[in-house]
Amino acid sequence: MTYRLPSLNTLRAFEAAARHLSFKTAASELGVTAGAVSQQIKKLEASLGVILFRRLPNGLLLTGAGETYLPAITRVFDDLTRATEQIAPDINSRKFVIGVSPSARSLLPESWPHRRDTLHHHVRECIETTDINLLLNNELDCLVRAESGPYRDLTLVVIANTRDGPDLHFVCKPGTAECAQSKAILKDLARHLAAPRDRPADA
């Protein structure tokens, strides 16, 4: 059977841009320029003969076709990820080296992340640092800070602090915010920032 499908690169660009409703944020995640994402979307729309986004002065909106297409394409990438990990489990099993700034450390349990069962398979080492260059030089896989940027071309995910105090910034290389390691770390950080002050965050 011959499948008439758009290219995988155009679908990746669409899925990221539709999820973020931003070419710029999608470009940061994919490690390309916003112009490249825009061109991939135009190529996809031309091949389908369907408009997927409304380009507005202040951002993007999905058309009806785009809203219908996004969940299906996301499921396809999820299925591809699971299928790949099933036959090549080591592809996503490398443990992260995390950098944590002193100000971020003060918002987390003293033992974090080493005594967290949920992070045992995702974290190899934790270093106290604020140095973005360690991430740029591949000495860290991600950096957790309570300080603001600039973060240059790195990807930033903000973890909102529902208690009194600053939000946390999770900074990583483009394309790694959606990997299993990052998702596990982000989920655990969000859990701690939502923990009431009158009980231990590790409880």
Side-chain angles (χ1 to χ4, degrees), residues 32-67:
V32 297
T33 66
V37 171
S38 178
Q39 288 301 315
Q40 291 284 7
I41 299 300
K42 288 179 181 178
K43 182 178 178 181
L44 176 62
E45 290 176 327
S47 69
L48 296 174
V50 173
I51 300 300
L52 300 170
F53 291 97
R54 291 178 59 200
R55 279 79 166 171
L56 304 177
N58 296 322
L60 301 172
L61 282 178
L62 285 166
T63 64
E67 289 181 351

Side-chain angles (χ1 to χ4, degrees), residues 117-131:
D117 289 342
T118 54
L119 297 181
H120 174 72
H121 296 294
H122 302 290
V123 177
R124 174 166 62 86
E125 187 178 357
C126 183
I127 299 169
E128 188 166 292
T129 182
T130 64
D131 191 355

Side-chain angles (χ1 to χ4, degrees), residues 181-200:
Q181 295 89 332
S182 292
K183 286 183 176 180
I185 294 165
L186 286 165
K187 182 177 180 180
D188 201 68
L189 288 170
R191 173 182 178 274
H192 286 304
L193 290 195
R197 288 188 181 277
D198 58 358
R199 66 178 176 84

Side-chain angles (χ1 to χ4, degrees), residues 1-161:
M1 181 181 295
T2 300
Y3 296 97
R4 296 184 62 192
L5 297 171
S7 76
L8 190 61
N9 284 339
T10 64
L11 293 175
R12 275 189 78 204
F14 165 73
E15 198 277 336
R19 182 160 29 85
H20 295 294
L21 289 178
S22 167
F23 289 159
K24 182 177 180 181
T25 307
S28 178
E29 177 181 313
L30 298 174
V32 297
T33 66
V37 171
S38 178
Q39 288 301 315
Q40 291 284 7
I41 299 300
K42 288 179 181 178
K43 182 178 178 181
L44 176 62
E45 290 176 327
S47 69
L48 296 174
V50 173
I51 300 300
L52 300 170
F53 291 97
R54 291 178 59 200
R55 279 79 166 171
L56 304 177
N58 296 322
L60 301 172
L61 282 178
L62 285 166
T63 64
E67 289 181 351
T68 299
Y69 206 32
L70 175 60
I73 297 304
T74 299
R75 285 194 298 272
V76 167
F77 280 110
D78 286 344
D79 288 344
L80 283 171
T81 299
R82 284 191 291 269
T84 302
E85 290 176 347
Q86 186 175 0
I87 64 165
D90 289 341
I91 197 169
N92 200 29
S93 65
R94 187 174 69 84
K95 294 184 178 183
F96 269 20
V97 177
I98 303 178
V100 180
S101 74
S103 56
R105 169 66 64 196
S106 68
L107 301 174
L108 299 168
E110 184 178 352
S111 61
W112 194 89
H114 295 299
R115 296 184 182 178
R116 300 289 299 146
D117 289 342
T118 54
L119 297 181
H120 174 72
H121 296 294
H122 302 290
V123 177
R124 174 166 62 86
E125 187 178 357
C126 183
I127 299 169
E128 188 166 292
T129 182
T130 64
D131 191 355
I132 291 293
N133 288 318
L134 295 179
L135 189 54
L136 293 168
N137 295 334
N138 297 315
E139 296 176 60
L140 295 175
D141 295 293
C142 63
L143 181 59
V144 180
R145 294 164 43 117
E147 301 85 2
S148 59
Y151 297 122
R152 306 185 207 178
D153 295 325
L154 298 169
T155 296
L156 167 65
V157 180
V158 178
I159 305 102
N161 193 341

